[in-house]
């Protein structure tokens, strides 16, 4: 068994013992971000499928998520960081009612490593807090993450609320339950004609969009 195979199994099994040694071994042939994007996320995908099929109980999903977080935390200091000046600020949050934050935190890491200032408000964040933070931090963008189907509705409502508050800060939306069509039709319409709304399929897509916004 290769270190990569063991790592994937560790995510599925929520098994953290010896995690660091396997990560160190995998890093001899792979970049940290590639380990996350292929090996670790592959494991989380299996977890999602097992859970969705009723073959895995929630406490075990939590163990998998904790293992994933530990692995990402271990890899983070080994990632390349862009030097130079700040390229812009984004306020980032998982929306109200949603606790899923692995994807959001990945977006944080990738943007931070690429020279952006990320104001990470955490999980279950009411839109009022995002609006306050966007004003206070003079944000170039607001990023919302959410994995539940319910969260896609919250995002649309949040956009109406942000527009009502008089902001036209560009907004990035990401998360497994979103579709490009929903974002580009319903969400864009909800934000009105002045503000920009964009769909980020993954964390790298988020970086590409942020690069366009901050130009
Ligand atoms: Co939950 N969960 N969960 N869960 N969970 C899902 C999302 C689910 C699809 C599983 C399933 O049924 N197959 C399902 C949602 C069903 C639905 O609404 N359609 C589900 C459910 C039902 C629930 C609970 C309701 C279960 C319950 O209590 N009965 C509950 C909800 C609690 C709540 O939020 N109120 C719950 C709880 C949990 C745990 C706490 C156990 C744990 C989360 C731990 C944590 O995050 N700290 C958990 C997990 C781990 C998952 C799955 C298995 C994996 C999610 C994950 O971390 N993926 C998930 C299955 C799935 O997604 N298919 C599932 C890895 C992560 C990197 O991906 O976040 O999608 P993701 O991020 C991606 C992209 O989406 C994108 O970039 C990343 C890749 O680069 N992206 C962005 C995300 N945000 C972005 C923002 C951007 C840009 C890109 O810019 C702003």
């Amino acid at each position: 068994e290769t270190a990569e195979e063991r790592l994937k199994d560790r995510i599925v099994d929520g098994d953290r013992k010896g995690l660091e040694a396997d990560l160190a071994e995998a890093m001899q042939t792979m970049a940290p971000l590639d380990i996350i994007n292929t090996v670790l996320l592959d494991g989380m995908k299996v977890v999602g499928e097992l859970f969705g099929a009723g073959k895995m109980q929630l406490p075990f999903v939590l163990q998998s998520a904790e293992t994933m977080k530990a692995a990402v935390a271990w890899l983070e200091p080994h990632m390349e960081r862009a030097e130079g000046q700040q390229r812009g600020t984004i306020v980032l949050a998982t929306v109200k009612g949603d606790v899923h934050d692995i994807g959001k935190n990945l977006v944080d890491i990738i943007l931070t490593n690429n020279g952006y200032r990320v104001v990470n408000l955490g999980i279950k964040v009411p839109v009022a807090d995002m609006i306050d933070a966007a004003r206070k931090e003079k944000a170039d963008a607001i990023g919302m993450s959410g994995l539940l189907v319910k969260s896609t509705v919250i995002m649309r409502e949040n956009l109406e609320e942000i527009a009502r508050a008089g902001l036209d800060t560009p907004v990035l939306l990401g998360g497994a339950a979103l579709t490009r069509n929903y974002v580009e039709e319903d969400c864009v319409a909800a934000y009105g004609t002045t503000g920009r709304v964009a769909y980020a399929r993954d964390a790298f897509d988020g970086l590409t969009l942020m690069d366009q916004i901050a130009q």
Side-chain angles (χ1 to χ4, degrees):
E1 234 188 8
T2 64
E4 287 91 81
E5 285 162 348
R6 286 199 300 275
L7 282 169
K8 185 179 165 183
D9 288 347
R10 285 185 186 290
I11 299 296
V12 177
D13 300 340
D15 173 17
R16 288 167 65 169
K17 250 189 264 131
L19 178 69
E20 290 79 6
D22 283 343
L23 288 169
E25 192 181 328
M27 268 202 5
Q28 291 173 3
T29 52
M30 288 174 89
L33 265 181
D34 292 333
I35 298 175
I36 294 176
N37 274 315
T38 55
V39 184
L40 304 180
L41 285 189
D42 257 15
M44 276 317 270
K45 207 172 143 215
V46 174
V47 172
E49 283 160 9
L50 290 172
F51 181 52
K55 291 180 183 155
M56 190 169 179
Q57 299 299 313
L58 203 60
F60 296 97
V61 179
L62 195 55
Q63 287 304 312
S64 295
E66 293 301 330
T67 307
M68 173 87 195
K69 284 189 168 193
V72 172
W74 192 91
L75 289 168
E76 196 184 350
H78 299 283
M79 290 179 196
E80 276 176 43
R81 266 190 97 121
E83 302 293 331
Q85 62 197 113
Q86 272 315 319
R87 299 173 65 195
T89 298
I90 181 168
V91 165
L92 189 63
T94 298
V95 299
K96 186 177 76 178
D98 197 324
V99 303
H100 297 91
D101 65 354
I102 295 175
K104 166 182 69 66
N105 292 339
L106 216 52
V107 174
D108 183 343
I109 289 172
I110 286 169
L111 290 178
T112 302
N113 286 344
N114 284 280
Y116 290 100
R117 185 167 72 98
V118 178
V119 182
N120 190 335
L121 301 181
I123 59 171
K124 298 205 250 175
V125 178
V127 64
D129 293 2
M130 298 183 209
I131 293 169
D132 288 348
R135 286 204 172 109
K136 188 164 147 264
E137 309 289 346
K138 301 193 178 8
D140 300 288
I142 297 172
M144 293 186 222
S145 178
L147 263 61
L148 303 171
V149 169
K150 202 176 65 186
S151 299
T152 65
V153 178
I154 305 267
M155 287 180 191
R156 182 168 48 72
E157 292 169 356
N158 285 354
L159 287 164
E160 288 167 357
E161 196 62 35
I162 296 169
R164 230 177 279 134
L167 290 183
D168 61 359
T169 314
V171 176
L172 301 185
L173 301 179
L178 283 172
T179 62
R180 181 173 296 281
N181 195 50
Y182 177 75
V183 172
E184 292 179 354
E185 305 276 325
D186 300 48
C187 295
V188 167
Y191 206 30
T193 49
T194 47
R196 171 171 174 199
V197 183
Y199 171 62
R201 198 186 62 252
D202 57 30
F204 292 104
D205 213 15
L207 174 61
T208 306
L209 291 165
M210 205 50 208
D211 287 345
Q212 289 165 8
I213 288 165
Q215 252 176 17

